[in-house]
Amino acid sequence: MDLFELVNALKQRNLDLPLLIRFSDILEDRIERLNAAFARAIARYSYPGVYRGVFLQNAISSGTWLKHWSILASPTSLGWKPGQNQN
């Protein structure tokens, strides 16, 4: 999808900038790429351990994203933990 064309089409519908545009498959793609990269490195270097990525909850701030994250991450070894308040 061409972002420039999308914005022009939305402007023609009288929607003004700024707009919030969500690309729902980016998170899934990044999870797959991250796991594949670690799997390749583990195989290449005969690493005997496993990769278990853990992300802080503040990186996945909303409940909607957390639910989406848990669905996408379930076939992988990725997980999350509650983050600390940075204030």
Side-chain angles (χ1 to χ4, degrees):
M1 171 179 297
D2 185 304
L3 185 58
F4 182 75
E5 290 176 12
L6 175 62
V7 170
N8 283 337
L10 293 172
K11 282 182 179 179
Q12 289 176 357
R13 293 171 55 189
N14 295 322
L15 295 172
D16 293 323
L17 298 176
L19 295 169
L20 175 62
I21 302 171
R22 292 188 178 185
F23 297 92
S24 59
D25 57 345
I26 289 176
L27 181 60
E28 183 176 9
D29 176 70
R30 296 310 184 266
I31 289 172
E32 289 173 1
R33 286 178 182 228
L34 185 63
N35 278 292
F38 273 93
R40 284 191 305 273
I42 287 169
R44 180 177 179 181
Y45 296 104
S46 301
Y47 180 70
V50 295
Y51 167 67
R52 296 199 194 287
V54 178
F55 292 81
L56 294 178
Q57 184 178 357
N58 358 5
I60 312 164
S61 56
S62 74
T64 304
W65 275 108
L66 189 56
K67 182 178 179 182
H68 189 63
W69 169 264
S70 51
I71 291 168
L72 294 176
S74 64
T76 70
S77 60
L78 294 176
W80 66 272
K81 74 173 208 127
Q84 296 178 335
N85 189 347
Q86 300 296 320
N87 295 334

